[in-house]
Amino acid sequence: MKRTEVKTVGILTSGGDAPGLNAAIRALCVAGKNKYGMKFIGIRNGYRGLIDNDTFKMDKLDFDSLVTAGGTCLGTSRVKPFKNPVPDPKTGLLPVEGIKETFKKNKLDALVCLGGNGTNTTASLLAEAGFNVIGLPKTIDNDIVGTEESFGFQTAIQVATEGIEAIRTTARSHHRVMVVEIMGHKVGWLGLYAGLAANADAILLPEIPYDIRKLGKFIKAKVEGGQGYAVIACSEGAINLDEAKLGKKEFKKARESMTQSVGFRVAKELEAETGIETRTSVLGYTQRGGNPKPYDIVLATTIGAAAADFLAEGQFGKLVAINDGKISGVPLSTVAGVVKAITEEDPVLQTARALGICFGD
């Protein structure tokens, strides 16, 4: 067993749940114990539990049962301790002071945070505040800067692809246009990959503002040109030309005033533009729920086990990333507050264009 100064480690999951979280947790705990003799403290419900000292010893968990389990055994929340911090009504402590108390009471040498952009942004702020923190990349959106892959993404692709394929049968049977709304507020990696895999006729992404007239012309030609129907993969964050011109505050206000999601708006606009019956299907939480597929289990396990080495080596303030098929440490400061968006040069996007898929531009 190798020596390390890191003896006791806290673990939390924050933000949306995603396939692979439990596999990563299990790998971290098993590898940490086997290689370094580390002990692990589970923190319930994300940063909320870290502030409130809602913790438990993880040594009695059935780790083998976690490998294929969906969700997170730790629970999660979207609490952000650095956003508009106010004193706790019971203790009078500010969130960061509560976190310090949790570290002290549990004798934590370090903390591992599993999550997406928001989680790792908070982890970066904790590192700046002097805490020993390591981040793990979890998100079905695949939009974390500094890592080529995030566990949860491949499982979500499969679920979304199967959803589009199933809805295609209805579109074909009823001679309709079907808009399939896919998760992805800020970026469209999931929509792009699932749309390409399911051979969607059109894909709408947050990165590429769509022109409803161009989209309508394309879809009408598809339907009336012999296909008889059309399927559109639409990211929930897809924007039109008018929205692309808005400032951040104006855009947020416009979205908050919408009574239905983007997929329904696109269907309404398209039906008015083409005269063709158009319907919407929202895949929703099925994309990040359920059990992880083998690819994500292996990826999450690899990243989780590597996190134990990062802890032992004192590589704090870093994200455990995958680049060129190898584990690498990326400073959390470079990850915080930014997203990895699709560029026009992306090979998958270029492939979709080469195959004649329309992006509404």
Side-chain angles (χ1 to χ4, degrees):
M1 193 172 291
K2 299 179 181 180
R3 292 179 59 83
T4 175
E5 293 182 1
V6 176
K7 305 296 184 183
T8 307
V9 180
I11 308 177
L12 65 80
T13 55
S14 181
D17 64 319
L21 276 170
N22 283 325
I25 292 167
R26 178 253 188 180
L28 169 58
C29 292
V30 173
K33 180 181 179 181
N34 289 348
K35 292 180 71 174
Y36 305 105
M38 294 175 181
K39 296 180 180 179
F40 293 90
I41 301 296
I43 299 166
R44 298 185 181 93
N45 303 323
Y47 290 112
R48 177 75 273 161
L50 184 63
I51 296 169
D52 295 340
N53 189 33
D54 188 359
T55 62
F56 67 99
K57 295 180 180 180
M58 299 185 70
D59 54 355
K60 294 184 179 180
L61 286 180
D62 180 5
F63 288 116
D64 286 342
S65 69
L66 294 179
V67 179
T68 59
T72 165
C73 65
L74 299 176
T76 186
S77 71
R78 295 190 181 276
V79 170
K80 298 178 180 179
F82 291 92
K83 186 176 182 179
N84 303 320
V86 294
D88 184 276
K90 294 181 180 179
T91 65
L93 297 176
L94 287 168
V96 173
E97 294 172 336
I99 293 171
K100 288 180 179 178
E101 286 297 309
T102 297
F103 262 71
K104 184 178 179 180
K105 290 177 181 177
N106 293 278
K107 298 180 180 179
L108 299 182
D109 298 308
L111 172 69
V112 177
C113 304
L114 295 82
N117 283 298
T119 300
N120 285 293
T121 295
T122 297
S124 177
L125 294 172
L126 286 173
E128 290 180 10
F131 295 96
N132 292 335
V133 183
I134 289 174
L136 269 62
K138 170 279 311 176
T139 173
I140 67 168
D141 293 326
N142 197 43
D143 60 350
I144 299 178
V145 170
T147 184
E148 291 177 354
E149 296 184 275
S150 305
F151 58 86
F153 180 52
Q154 291 293 334
T155 300
I157 290 173
Q158 184 165 334
V159 173
T161 299
E162 291 171 353
I164 296 171
E165 290 173 338
I167 291 166
R168 180 185 298 280
T169 62
T170 291
R172 183 188 295 117
S173 298
H174 291 268
H175 312 293
R176 289 175 179 166
V177 175
M178 294 294 294
V179 178
V180 186
E181 187 177 289
I182 297 169
M183 283 186 167
H185 274 294
K186 296 180 180 180
V187 298
W189 293 105
L190 183 55
L192 174 61
Y193 277 62
L196 178 61
N199 192 30
D201 297 295
I203 300 173
L204 303 183
L205 306 172
E207 293 92 337
I208 305 175
Y210 69 86
D211 182 333
I212 192 62
R213 290 172 296 180
K214 291 182 178 179
L215 179 63
K217 183 178 179 180
F218 175 87
I219 294 299
K220 192 169 185 179
K222 275 283 183 180
V223 175
E224 296 179 353
Q227 182 169 294
Y229 72 95
V231 176
I232 300 171
C234 176
S235 296
E236 61 186 338
I239 63 174
N240 60 29
L241 291 176
D242 292 333
E243 289 175 319
K245 300 174 184 177
L246 299 176
K248 188 175 181 179
K249 290 184 178 180
E250 293 175 307
F251 177 77
K252 184 178 180 181
K253 186 176 180 180
R255 280 297 163 96
E256 288 175 347
S257 66
M258 289 175 60
T259 57
Q260 288 183 303
S261 61
V262 171
F264 289 96
R265 186 188 71 185
V266 170
K268 184 177 181 180
E269 292 175 333
L270 199 56
E271 186 167 309
E273 183 70 23
T274 64
I276 302 169
E277 184 180 17
T278 306
R279 294 290 182 269
T280 299
S281 182
V282 180
L283 298 184
Y285 293 114
T286 60
Q287 295 161 92
R288 75 182 197 207
N291 298 334
K293 305 304 179 185
Y295 188 98
D296 274 329
I297 293 174
V298 173
L299 178 61
T301 299
T302 301
I303 290 174
D309 296 328
F310 275 54
L311 289 166
E313 296 163 4
Q315 293 194 55
F316 303 124
K318 291 184 178 181
L319 176 80
V320 182
I322 292 279
N323 289 297
D324 296 324
K326 298 179 181 179
I327 294 289
S328 61
V330 178
L332 286 169
S333 58
T334 66
V335 175
V338 292
V339 295
K340 179 177 66 180
I342 300 169
T343 65
E344 189 59 39
E345 294 75 28
D346 183 81
V348 178
L349 175 62
Q350 288 300 314
T351 297
R353 287 196 185 280
L355 293 176
I357 293 176
C358 176
F359 288 86
D361 61 340

